[in-house]
Amino acid sequence: MASERLGMAALAWMALCLAAAFAVDRSNFKTCEQSSFCKRQRSVKPGSSPYRALLESLQLSQDSMKLQLVNEVNKVPLLLELYGLQGNMTRIKINELSPLRPRYEVPDVLVHDPPTTWLAVTGRDENSVELSLGDSGHKLILTGKPFRMDLLQGRELVLSVNPRGLLHFEHLRHRKDSFSDKVSSSVGSLWDKIKSLFYREEPKESAPEDGAAGEETEPALPGDQESSEKSTKSEEVSDGPNRAEEELGSWEETFKTHTDSKPNGPTSVGLDFSLPGFEHVYGIPEHADNLRLRTTEGGDPYRLYNLDVFQYELYNPMALYGSVPLLLAHNTQRTLGIFWLNAAETWVDISSNTAGKTLFGKMLDYMQGGGETPQTDVRWMSESGIIDVFLLLGPAPTDVFRQYTALTGTQALPPLFAMAYHQSRWNYNDEEDVAAVDDGFDTHDIPCDVIWLDIEHTDGKRYFTWDPNKFPQPRNMLGRLAAKRRKMVSIVDPHIKVDSGYRVHNEIRSRGFYVKTKDGSDYEGWCWPGSSGYPDFTNPEMRAWWASMFSYDQYEASMENLYVWNDMNEPSVFNGPEVTMYKDALHEGGWEHRDLHNLYGFYVQMATAQGLEQRSGGLERPFVLSRAFFAGSQRYGAVWTGDNAAEWDHLKISIPMCLSLALAGISFCGADVGGFFKSPDAELLVRWYQVGAYQPFYRAHAHLDTVRREPWLFGEENKALIRAAVRQRYALLPYWYTTFYHSYRSGQPVMRPLWVEYPDDVTTFSIDDQFLIGNALLVHPVTEQGAHGVQVYLPGKGEVWYDVHSHQKHHAPQTLYVPVIMSSIPAYQRGGSIVPRKERVRRSSDCMYRDPYTLYVALSPQGTAEGDLFIDDGHTYNFESKAQYLHRHFSFASNTLTARSADSKGVFESPAWIERVVILGAGKPAAVFLRQPGMADTRLDFQHEPETSVLTLRKPGINIGADWSISLR
Amino acid sequence: MLLPLLLPVLSALASAVEVKRPRGVSLTNHHFYEESKPFTCLDGSSTIAFEWVNDDYCDCQDGSDEPGTSACPNGRFHCTNAGYRPQYIPSSRVNDGVCDCCDATDEYNSGFVCENTCKEMGRKEREALAQMAEVAREGFQLKQVLIEEASKGREDKQRSLAELQEGKKSLEEQVETLRSVKEAAEKPEKEAKEIHQKKWEEQKAAEKAAREQARASEAFQELDDDGDGLVSVAELQTHVELDVDGDGTLSETEAQTLLGNALQADASSFRDAVWAAIKENYKPEGLPDAAPLPEAPREEAPEPQPDLPLEQPAPEDDYDEEEEEEGDDDESNEEEPKVPPAKQPSDKTAEEDEAEKMPPYDEATQALIDAAQKAREQFEEAEKSLKEMEDSIQSLEKEISFDFGPQGEFAYLYSQCYELTTTEYVYRLCPFNRVSQKPKHGGAETNLGTWGSWAGPDENKFSVMKYEHGTGCWQGPNRSTTVKLTCGKETVVTSTTEPSRCEYLMELVTPAACQEPRDPGAADHDEL
């Protein structure tokens, strides 16, 4: 068995990575220098922009402003559109006024055309126009020459657009039929030589020493010497069809053995922004890096280009599996977002005027009253498309989340089981193996909701099929799981085996649904099944067909409890450039893959989620896990951080990676528990289960070549530790579910950096080894090997936090040293919050449906608390379509705990009731009474522990949907 | 909330005994739950009103107040399972919508309807148990035979080992005797051969001298151009090939020197003195170019090769390969020691042919040689037997040294192999030796491990075999195989899986794994 698998899988991988065993082979992936447009864009230096806004062309309609920009060097006119959007947002679009061909504008990511608000010209002089943006109180000053825009609130400058003059818009052009244009890039160096020979004949002209072609310009004419420096400057930022571009691979580009034909020539766009007063920026996932973005001066920019990176490295700006071009900036006064809606390869440069300064230097600046205002500059560079950027003006973090999700949608409310524990492995070998693992969870009394099947379950990597020998009776297997109220997830990847005996392939081919090569034939790449076609998911007809493949009669043996996982959807192409698809491959509508690369995975997940939805007639909520993603992917399911490794650093990085995703709208994030590559020792595995228990998506997964690691394979002690961690997750499911509901409703992240809740506490701004779930729980899991303690920062002036395990109260703000042992998962409930739990942990979340709740009321120093609980059937859209839900609100004040509806629109019958109320930080009452409308007060039994001030009210026994109050007297 | 506190157990079992006890309490524990008294948690941690027992709220730390509900995280629920086996399940499985107890008592308030399957299960179990008992009984009988055989086999082996060791002693003596005989016979043989050789060499020398003389005379006559019976300086000078200093001419002085510092030499002095000086370079007239080279020195007579075995390393070395050796073991059963391949005659015949043949030995010498040869053969024969015997002893000792179980019941597996064919592979288990896997449709065999040790739990060490250090895996460990032994009438491999990468699991059914069947009827079924 092993040998054959090794054949396919390992050889494919080995072909990819003949290099070192456990580190990414960086040479497989481009640096900015190797990406011609990035190099060209980056070679544009700050200075006066060649762009001028033609103020006389300004056209103002009710909700937008249009204005022409012109590049004064090449005279190409651009169209600037400005929209004031409702909810304190501004949209800026820049496109060519009359491009040779349409340029790609990202479809399907915005949930709808964002509603606009009014704009008015409120001032004007010869070189500027002042606009008022709706009711938000923001003003925008547009300067004509050089073109820039400054956004103000009152007298305060909030953000500037093109302040450094880095706007660089490569217009579409015909390839010039000159000698130099015919010189292909590979011969370009020859041309270079000819030229430099020519230069040497000019005694006064020194040969260009710097090989950086971006600096080069046309040979200066004799007598033009004095002005040459100036002309250099304007030339270098121009779109002028100079020879330098040829050398930079404008019309053809080769990386390693792959040549990109670039029939449309140079098409990149770039723009810079300044954020005065901001020192902390976040977002633009996915990178294996800290939460707080670093400056990129002297290194590569952060790259956004969905790639299957084998054994990725940590703490660098390299591209990974997914991309969300949203950057957040935060200071104690304000939070901002810049959403750069472009799906082409994108690089983001970040610089800061304080980056190099020591704390002392900053203090000196401050004391001298001088120094610059701290400022962060951001520069976006994309290979094609247009400039379409949304300025999310906050001002609070919650506002930015609301703004961003108003544009791209909020997190889909996952079915409840999806928030529970998932057990995966590449691969569970056969039906017996699945049965044994399923039974193992019962034997060892560890909850588990889902068992996963990786690629080996298929018949020869033909997705939608089952290996006839290993999985001869998939329906029986699914039925067996269903009897335990468990689910299964099978993998369906977007590469389709080219095999005339495979129905899926034949249909896609005959319908012309495959992505095409630049020559119009079906594109084929190498992936798990060998030669594979890649369906064109950008085509809505293709997506509809794909969705139909998930209906119960199409996907053989599929049942209600079978859900889906889309892997390799960057797309991963083993033999393609940077392990992905050629950029000159063609999609529906004649768009190049270059234009929409980062959208491919988004569409795969979209189509799959639609399929799962449709198979139930639109009743059931889908669950689809995806590796690749883009802005808006939160609407379709979960993502994970890809192929990590069983190393402590990988455990640690899972926190900032998921936090960055959460800030960018994608809350349903997790990392492979245990690490995908390599085998964790028991300590690492236990710690990973503990961390995962408090991250949104909780799945253990492992590489084919690792030793088995089901929770019971590491001895009784470790098994008990893992069981305890998983049980903590299950007990908190009501809180997770409610928090996800909030995310769905209002776009607030589920897993949050501390600064989101404590925006004026500078200490929190760089913390990424602890985090919040919702606003009530703070977790600082142990991510260090052999740890004896952790330093937990408890934020909030005048607040208190309660240890969720010991119920001990701590005052904030403080940094608390917490000693830890192997069972420790330091977690704290915020004073003033109420967290619902289900403390009867069963074998799966579905088994807990009818179970009663325990309310944990953590009192603030003022003796108050509030919280809520969302309940529905846990798996359908009825909460949305029929308002079948309960949203309960609980508040504690004046020694009375009150339950009422938080949302009277929702109506739902739940069998669940309240078995216990635990009040943290309470004194001992004389008596406790339960009051229900229209009924006499009843006395409740209670227990009080004076050492910890924990008051436990015994069995109120009220239905969870009822209104009631409990008073302590 | 709505749950009845007590459920009189009108259990499906149509038993006359009807004991009233709280739900989820076993008969053995029912006396702890007395309706008339407050309930004290079984761990003694607190005492509560009896109404709080099974009221769906957990009051006792040990969960003992909620035997019939899911309220306590650490509680347990007792199902009577009349007709089958009683069972405790974790409280978390009470009313969880999954049927755990065959009597369906665990799902009394979940909305799920479970069927009472205890009778059916009991019947099936009894059947299965009966069948297993039958198998065990027969298997155990077979095992007795195996034990007997093993013990006999072991005795046989030990006896034959003893015999062999005894035999080895006498054989060693015999070898020594034969060695002396051989050496005694070889001595006269050697002497006779030497005499013969010497004679022949003398004869050859005489013949050679005669030939030289003839050549000298011939040369003399050639040189003596004037036929005066003397060779003069001038006559000698006609043969420039005799030039001494290499200037291309034979000067007078040089010629005189060659002639023994004389102006001429007669036939006799030419033959005795001059010829020796010039014969190396002298070219007979008439054949100036194709001068016959001076006679190749043929002093070395073809040595009659003493019987040194000409080691041909190649084939022998192959046999030293571990795998081959072990592969061989199965088949050849170690009975016959490995025979080195027949000695190849050396490739010397051509040379020998060229050499002059030594005249045959005279009769007396030949007789001595024959006698010595016979002694040699006898000696070698004996030595070979000794080697074979030593090999047999070694293999017997090895076999005896294996741990074949407490009563040697697994001895019969030794030197056997069992195969299992799956859809993709043929698996081969050769107990106490190795496990391998071969693709069904061609391809190289993969070693899944060689015999390591018994690896069962302490109380049942002989239930698991471990084979280790097989072929390495890519980025992984060396392959290894765990073989689980279960009781059965036949010896057969029933399954092979790879539960973890490169870690294989095989199941071998064998009578040797059967335990003595327990007294039928001792099996307790339920407590009622």
Side-chain angles (χ1 to χ4, degrees):
Chain A
M1 298 177 209
S3 56
E4 198 209 55
R5 282 211 223 107
L6 194 119
M8 271 308 297
L11 286 181
W13 278 118
M14 281 159 79
L16 279 176
C17 51
L18 292 165
F22 276 110
V24 66
D25 182 358
R26 287 189 184 217
S27 73
N28 280 331
F29 303 101
K30 287 184 186 178
T31 59
C32 176
E33 190 69 14
Q34 290 166 321
S35 178
S36 79
F37 85 87
C38 185
K39 188 177 173 184
R40 284 198 307 275
Q41 286 279 347
R42 236 188 177 191
S43 71
V44 176
K45 302 294 179 208
S48 59
S49 171
Y51 290 96
R52 182 161 67 89
L54 306 175
L55 299 183
E56 61 281 8
S57 70
L58 186 146
Q59 283 182 305
L60 195 68
S61 67
Q62 204 167 17
D63 57 3
S64 73
M65 183 215 74
K66 289 184 181 161
L67 184 82
Q68 282 184 37
L69 302 178
V70 67
N71 180 324
E72 298 208 287
V73 176
N74 60 23
K75 306 299 177 204
V76 174
L78 303 178
L79 178 67
L80 167 75
E81 294 173 80
L82 190 85
Y83 301 85
L85 303 183
Q86 287 177 18
N88 215 9
M89 293 183 269
T90 301
R91 181 182 196 176
I92 299 164
K93 280 174 89 167
I94 302 176
N95 196 354
E96 291 179 54
L97 183 63
S98 44
L100 282 179
R101 289 172 296 280
R103 296 179 67 117
Y104 192 73
E105 298 189 35
V106 177
D108 300 313
V109 166
L110 299 181
V111 284
H112 47 67
D113 277 341
T116 54
T117 179
W118 56 268
L119 285 177
V121 174
T122 49
R124 161 165 231 169
D125 60 25
E126 73 279 5
N127 193 31
S128 63
V129 174
E130 186 192 89
L131 292 150
S132 200
L133 304 171
D135 298 321
S136 66
H138 285 98
K139 274 189 292 196
L140 185 132
I141 295 170
L142 191 155
T143 306
K145 183 169 170 48
F147 164 67
R148 64 179 282 162
M149 293 190 283
D150 296 282
L151 215 136
L152 295 91
Q153 182 161 43
R155 290 162 164 272
E156 186 203 352
L157 177 60
V158 175
L159 173 153
S160 304
V161 180
N162 202 34
R164 289 184 291 160
L166 298 176
L167 170 62
H168 184 54
F169 203 109
E170 292 179 332
H171 63 279
L172 295 171
R173 65 202 71 183
H174 292 295
R175 196 166 189 172
K176 275 179 77 185
D177 196 18
S178 68
F179 170 66
S180 67
D181 288 331
K182 281 180 179 164
V183 178
S184 78
S185 64
S186 53
V187 193
S189 56
L190 184 68
W191 176 244
D192 210 13
K193 278 177 197 149
I194 294 168
K195 228 170 33 176
S196 59
L197 279 174
F198 184 72
Y199 283 161
R200 265 183 226 119
E201 286 166 15
E202 299 276 336
K204 289 176 192 169
E205 182 79 52
S206 61
E209 284 174 43
D210 184 359
E215 306 288 332
E216 283 178 30
T217 60
E218 305 238 288
L221 294 169
D224 212 17
Q225 292 278 303
E226 293 114 16
S227 65
S228 73
E229 198 183 315
K230 193 182 162 212
S231 84
T232 300
K233 213 156 211 172
S234 59
E235 281 292 332
E236 100 197 347
V237 293
S238 79
D239 286 319
N242 57 22
R243 289 184 186 111
E245 284 180 354
E246 294 307 305
E247 289 141 27
L248 286 168
S250 292
W251 294 92
E252 188 176 282
E253 182 172 351
T254 298
F255 177 67
K256 301 194 100 174
T257 57
H258 302 285
T259 298
D260 175 5
S261 70
K262 304 178 88 164
N264 295 331
T267 57
S268 73
V269 297
L271 183 60
D272 74 291
F273 301 85
S274 286
L275 300 162
F278 288 94
E279 288 183 87
H280 292 83
V281 286
Y282 308 93
I284 52 170
E286 180 177 21
H287 299 101
D289 208 347
N290 292 323
L291 174 65
R292 182 190 175 185
L293 299 174
R294 59 183 88 225
T295 61
T296 57
E297 286 157 308
D300 257 9
Y302 283 99
R303 189 181 189 203
L304 295 174
Y305 190 57
N306 296 356
L307 292 175
D308 179 2
V309 181
F310 181 71
Q311 290 173 344
Y312 60 80
E313 245 176 73
L314 307 185
Y315 304 108
N316 73 44
M318 283 173 75
L320 279 179
Y321 310 95
S323 305
V324 184
L326 171 70
L327 179 134
L328 302 187
H330 177 73
N331 62 25
T332 54
Q333 305 302 312
R334 183 186 278 279
T335 310
L336 284 182
I338 300 175
F339 175 40
W340 176 266
L341 181 52
N342 188 304
E345 179 184 345
T346 296
W347 298 78
V348 186
D349 254 325
I350 293 164
S351 53
S352 155
N353 62 352
T354 56
K357 287 193 182 164
T358 60
L359 187 63
F360 178 72
K362 286 188 204 173
M363 275 172 64
L364 206 66
D365 283 350
Y366 177 77
M367 277 151 59
Q368 289 168 345
E372 307 161 82
T373 320
Q375 175 171 314
T376 299
D377 296 324
V378 182
R379 175 188 204 169
W380 298 81
M381 301 168 279
S382 291
E383 189 177 7
S384 67
I386 65 163
I387 293 174
D388 189 0
V389 59
F390 296 79
L391 306 176
L392 318 178
L393 300 174
T398 51
D399 297 319
V400 174
F401 300 133
R402 201 180 49 242
Q403 287 153 2
Y404 177 70
T405 54
L407 298 173
T408 63
T410 60
Q411 177 66 53
L413 179 64
L416 176 64
F417 82 84
M419 294 169 209
Y421 174 69
H422 301 254
Q423 180 67 37
S424 182
R425 173 175 182 82
W426 175 26
N427 214 96
Y428 286 120
N429 299 331
D430 48 32
E431 289 171 7
E432 292 71 38
D433 198 1
V434 169
V437 172
D438 175 34
D439 290 344
F441 280 95
D442 290 341
T443 307
H444 301 284
D445 200 16
I446 298 170
C448 173
D449 266 54
V450 195
I451 294 179
W452 290 53
L453 293 180
D454 208 323
I455 52 175
E456 310 299 328
H457 84 278
T458 60
D459 182 7
K461 318 292 185 298
R462 294 171 188 84
Y463 304 107
F464 302 102
T465 70
W466 302 85
D467 183 303
N469 297 311
K470 298 170 188 159
F471 294 89
Q473 309 275 352
R475 286 191 77 86
N476 287 358
M477 172 177 65
L478 287 164
R480 198 178 184 280
L481 287 170
K484 296 222 192 124
R485 308 177 79 169
R486 291 193 174 123
K487 327 285 179 197
M488 175 162 264
V489 169
S490 64
I491 196 165
V492 177
D493 284 353
H495 49 259
I496 301 299
K497 186 179 174 73
V498 174
D499 168 9
S500 58
Y502 179 28
R503 180 172 70 98
V504 175
H505 163 70
N506 288 338
E507 287 218 30
I508 295 173
R509 194 181 48 181
S510 65
R511 291 167 192 253
F513 282 160
Y514 276 128
V515 174
K516 305 286 189 289
T517 66
K518 65 181 192 304
D519 307 315
S521 56
D522 284 352
Y523 171 81
E524 281 181 26
W526 197 264
C527 209
W528 296 125
S531 194
S532 307
Y534 290 76
D536 183 5
F537 284 90
T538 68
N539 178 353
E541 286 175 40
M542 163 60 209
R543 292 201 299 275
W545 177 83
W546 180 265
S548 76
M549 285 303 295
F550 291 92
S551 69
Y552 296 123
D553 57 345
Q554 293 294 309
Y555 187 170
E556 186 204 334
S558 62
M559 286 172 41
E560 293 82 349
N561 67 335
L562 179 67
Y563 295 83
V564 178
W565 167 24
N566 295 145
D567 197 357
M568 314 297 279
N569 54 340
E570 294 74 25
S572 177
V573 182
F574 293 162
N575 59 345
E578 303 192 86
V579 202
T580 191
M581 193 176 278
Y582 281 102
K583 282 178 171 171
D584 55 14
L586 293 175
H587 291 262
E588 172 71 9
W591 297 110
E592 281 193 287
H593 186 67
R594 170 187 344 272
D595 297 317
L596 48 81
H597 172 85
N598 286 345
L599 272 182
Y600 190 84
F602 163 91
Y603 276 130
V604 174
Q605 194 185 16
M606 175 198 275
T608 306
Q610 277 165 357
L612 294 191
E613 210 173 285
Q614 282 168 23
R615 72 176 185 183
S616 68
L619 178 66
E620 297 286 330
R621 310 205 298 260
F623 170 74
V624 182
L625 177 73
S626 174
R627 194 170 68 181
F629 52 81
F630 191 68
S633 286
Q634 65 268 21
R635 309 199 297 264
Y636 306 114
V639 305
W640 90 108
T641 61
D643 299 344
N644 61 357
E647 291 167 5
W648 287 91
D649 275 354
H650 273 268
L651 170 59
K652 209 171 299 173
I653 203 92
S654 69
I655 298 173
M657 285 181 82
C658 281
L659 285 176
S660 294
L661 273 159
L663 291 176
I666 300 177
S667 265
F668 206 6
C669 166
D672 284 349
V673 169
F676 179 67
F677 292 111
K678 302 173 75 172
S679 294
D681 62 13
E683 184 191 359
L684 177 57
L685 186 69
V686 167
R687 290 300 188 201
W688 214 314
Y689 267 96
Q690 295 175 342
V691 174
Y694 286 90
Q695 288 176 348
F697 178 59
Y698 191 19
R699 180 186 72 150
H701 186 51
H703 188 274
L704 182 69
D705 285 320
T706 59
V707 294
R708 292 287 283 242
R709 55 167 95 142
E710 284 69 44
W712 48 87
L713 297 175
F714 294 79
E716 283 302 316
E717 202 176 316
N718 293 307
K719 179 174 88 182
L721 290 166
I722 292 172
R723 179 195 290 134
V726 179
R727 283 186 174 182
Q728 287 185 36
R729 170 56 161 245
Y730 275 72
L732 273 172
L733 282 174
Y735 181 69
W736 280 102
Y737 199 65
T738 302
T739 308
F740 264 98
Y741 176 69
H742 284 300
S743 189
Y744 161 76
R745 285 298 289 263
S746 65
Q748 304 306 306
V750 170
M751 182 178 171
R752 300 175 190 169
L754 267 59
W755 63 260
V756 167
E757 290 294 323
Y758 298 89
D760 52 3
D761 182 351
V762 182
T763 316
T764 63
F765 291 4
S766 298
I767 291 180
D768 61 6
D769 56 355
Q770 60 181 58
F771 54 89
L772 295 162
I773 300 157
N775 60 11
L777 287 182
L778 182 151
V779 191
H780 187 128
V782 179
T783 58
E784 300 278 349
Q785 186 172 19
H788 296 294
V790 293
Q791 298 279 354
V792 180
Y793 180 69
L794 298 174
K797 200 163 183 247
E799 293 196 22
V800 292
W801 292 87
Y802 297 87
D803 185 313
V804 299
H805 310 293
S806 70
H807 301 153
Q808 197 190 340
K809 182 160 80 177
H810 301 282
H811 289 275
Q814 68 159 317
T815 300
L816 184 68
Y817 177 79
V818 181
V820 297
I821 53 174
M822 269 318 289
S823 61
S824 305
I825 317 177
Y828 303 85
Q829 184 177 342
R830 188 180 192 168
S833 67
I834 299 177
V835 170
R837 293 174 183 251
K838 281 193 174 183
E839 297 197 311
R840 303 185 182 188
V841 174
R842 307 205 189 232
R843 72 180 108 206
S844 70
S845 64
D846 198 23
C847 290
M848 295 160 66
Y849 177 70
R850 305 167 63 90
D851 283 344
Y853 291 90
T854 296
L855 299 180
Y856 278 80
V857 180
L859 297 182
S860 69
Q862 295 73 38
T864 60
E866 64 178 332
D868 63 345
L869 171 66
F870 174 78
I871 305 174
D872 71 342
D873 60 23
H875 57 95
T876 72
Y877 280 114
N878 288 342
F879 80 99
E880 220 176 37
S881 58
K882 300 180 183 162
Q884 291 181 358
Y885 63 89
L886 282 176
H887 190 187
R888 305 297 305 167
H889 182 266
F890 309 105
S891 61
F892 188 95
S894 313
N895 280 324
T896 302
L897 176 65
T898 310
R900 58 172 172 83
S901 174
D903 179 352
S904 56
K905 289 195 295 292
V907 178
F908 186 66
E909 288 278 328
S910 167
W913 49 288
I914 296 172
E915 70 171 329
R916 194 184 294 111
V917 174
V918 180
I919 304 175
L920 309 178
K924 185 174 183 178
V928 178
F929 290 93
L930 166 69
R931 171 170 297 175
Q932 290 177 271
M935 286 168 76
D937 287 5
T938 48
R939 247 182 124 112
L940 293 182
D941 288 294
F942 64 88
Q943 249 188 338
H944 185 260
E945 290 169 41
E947 326 81 75
T948 49
S949 299
V950 175
L951 176 67
T952 304
L953 310 185
R954 185 186 193 278
K955 208 182 173 193
I958 330 142
N959 184 277
I960 194 66
D963 289 347
W964 48 265
S965 64
I966 291 174
S967 46
L968 316 181
R969 291 177 199 164
Chain B
M1 32 191 281
L2 320 165
L3 308 177
L5 294 185
L6 284 169
L7 182 90
V9 179
L10 302 165
S11 27
L13 50 122
S15 161
V17 197
E18 207 175 273
V19 181
K20 201 177 171 197
R21 51 190 160 130
R23 190 196 297 275
V25 174
S26 67
L27 253 190
T28 25
N29 278 355
H30 93 274
H31 62 276
F32 294 119
Y33 299 84
E34 282 187 60
E35 210 176 332
S36 53
K37 289 192 211 161
F39 174 74
T40 300
C41 306
L42 297 190
D43 65 356
S45 59
S46 65
T47 298
I48 56 172
F50 193 80
E51 294 83 64
W52 285 9
V53 171
N54 273 348
D55 73 337
D56 210 13
Y57 186 89
C58 192
D59 294 290
C60 293
Q61 280 171 14
D62 66 352
S64 57
D65 63 316
E66 297 293 318
T69 76
S70 57
C72 293
N74 51 346
R76 52 186 204 155
F77 177 91
H78 184 266
C79 16
T80 309
N81 290 346
Y84 189 57
R85 251 174 300 132
Q87 180 190 8
Y88 275 107
I89 60 167
S91 288
S92 66
R93 293 180 195 170
V94 173
N95 289 327
D96 70 343
V98 180
C99 306
D100 292 286
C101 299
C102 66
D103 65 4
T105 51
D106 61 318
E107 297 298 319
Y108 59 87
N109 192 29
S110 64
F112 280 76
V113 179
C114 297
E115 278 175 49
N116 187 326
T117 56
C118 291
K119 275 189 184 153
E120 179 64 11
M121 282 177 73
R123 189 180 57 77
K124 276 193 185 150
E125 190 189 49
R126 280 188 294 277
E127 279 171 16
L129 283 173
Q131 206 181 338
M132 272 169 62
E134 177 63 16
V135 167
R137 199 178 52 74
E138 287 182 42
F140 190 70
Q141 278 172 5
L142 289 168
K143 182 178 174 179
Q144 301 316 307
V145 177
L146 292 175
I147 291 169
E148 213 166 293
E149 278 173 5
S151 131
K152 222 168 83 199
R154 192 179 167 83
E155 277 166 30
D156 286 352
K157 279 178 189 117
Q158 252 148 1
R159 195 178 321 111
S160 54
L161 183 62
E163 279 167 12
L164 281 169
Q165 268 155 347
E166 199 53 41
K168 184 181 155 196
K169 265 188 214 146
S170 71
L171 197 52
E172 272 166 353
E173 284 164 21
Q174 204 184 333
V175 166
E176 281 319 300
T177 314
L178 287 170
R179 189 195 304 281
S180 318
V181 170
K182 181 189 84 153
E183 278 164 6
E186 276 174 341
K187 204 178 160 208
E189 177 203 30
K190 195 179 168 208
E191 284 166 4
K193 273 168 122 179
E194 273 167 8
I195 292 165
H196 180 80
Q197 179 85 18
K198 206 175 158 197
K199 257 198 220 159
W200 179 49
E201 269 162 22
E202 280 166 7
Q203 190 190 331
K204 275 199 295 184
E207 279 166 12
K208 192 178 171 194
R211 271 202 307 278
E212 273 311 306
Q213 288 218 352
R215 276 185 72 200
S217 304
E218 210 175 302
F220 183 84
Q221 261 147 45
E222 264 179 21
L223 284 169
D224 183 13
D225 292 334
D226 56 5
D228 64 351
L230 296 168
V231 172
S232 67
V233 167
E235 282 167 344
L236 199 58
Q237 276 180 299
T238 61
H239 280 254
V240 288
E241 76 266 21
L242 302 175
D243 172 29
V244 178
D245 60 4
D247 64 355
T249 56
L250 185 66
S251 67
E252 274 186 40
T253 328
E254 284 170 340
Q256 279 178 24
T257 312
L258 288 172
L259 291 174
N261 290 324
L263 294 175
Q264 57 191 23
D266 62 9
S268 142
S269 64
F270 180 88
R271 197 176 59 227
D272 295 344
V274 180
W275 175 242
I278 67 169
K279 69 177 180 188
E280 293 297 313
N281 295 326
Y282 180 78
K283 283 183 183 159
E285 292 160 16
L287 331 138
D289 286 328
L293 288 169
E295 188 118 23
R298 291 203 169 167
E299 286 82 39
E300 329 94 89
E303 278 171 32
Q305 292 281 343
D307 226 339
L308 292 170
L310 282 168
E311 284 291 333
Q312 296 276 356
E316 272 279 28
D317 272 5
D318 267 3
Y319 272 82
D320 286 335
E321 295 272 279
E322 268 180 37
E323 288 200 12
E324 286 294 335
E325 184 169 62
E326 278 154 7
D328 260 11
D329 289 351
D330 321 336
E331 313 300 334
S332 60
N333 205 8
E334 298 272 312
E335 285 309 315
E336 346 158 63
K338 282 161 283 175
V339 190
K343 281 161 201 147
Q344 301 283 330
S346 79
D347 247 353
K348 285 214 164 172
T349 42
E351 255 179 74
E352 280 170 349
D353 281 347
E354 265 179 47
E356 276 178 49
K357 287 277 193 304
M358 188 169 64
Y361 293 111
D362 59 68
E363 244 172 72
T365 308
Q366 191 58 51
L368 285 173
I369 290 171
D370 289 347
Q373 184 60 31
K374 199 173 165 211
R376 264 195 298 274
E377 280 166 9
Q378 278 173 345
F379 166 71
E380 280 156 15
E381 187 71 19
E383 212 178 31
K384 197 172 128 191
S385 305
L386 180 62
K387 178 85 176 53
E388 282 171 13
M389 193 173 270
E390 280 169 347
D391 286 349
S392 304
I393 289 170
Q394 211 186 337
S395 97
L396 267 175
E397 280 174 344
K398 186 181 166 197
E399 188 175 343
I400 289 168
S401 77
F402 271 105
D403 183 354
F404 289 130
Q407 294 166 289
E409 60 267 42
F410 296 103
Y412 81 104
L413 295 171
Y414 187 77
S415 79
Q416 302 295 311
C417 288
Y418 304 91
E419 285 189 351
L420 177 72
T421 304
T422 65
T423 49
E424 286 171 86
Y425 298 99
V426 177
Y427 291 89
R428 189 175 161 89
L429 166 66
C430 303
F432 306 102
N433 185 2
R434 70 198 293 261
V435 185
S436 63
Q437 171 202 56
K438 202 174 170 154
K440 233 161 124 181
H441 308 293
E445 189 182 80
T446 307
N447 181 355
L448 304 185
T450 52
W451 167 249
S453 59
W454 290 103
D458 287 343
E459 69 279 8
N460 198 5
K461 180 180 148 194
F462 298 97
S463 61
V464 176
M465 289 171 154
K466 189 86 193 162
Y467 294 78
E468 297 153 327
H469 310 301
T471 313
C473 273
W474 180 73
Q475 281 205 353
N478 283 352
R479 287 173 177 78
S480 63
T481 303
T482 299
V483 180
K484 275 179 143 175
L485 281 70
T486 51
C487 168
K489 286 188 276 186
E490 287 168 344
T491 305
V492 57
V493 175
T494 52
S495 79
T496 309
T497 52
E498 189 186 1
S500 190
R501 187 85 172 131
C502 301
E503 290 175 13
Y504 296 82
L505 178 66
M506 264 188 180
E507 283 190 65
L508 178 69
V509 168
T510 161
C514 294
Q515 302 300 319
E516 184 161 18
R518 280 186 300 161
D519 190 11
D524 57 325
H525 275 267
D526 63 63
E527 53 183 9
L528 293 180

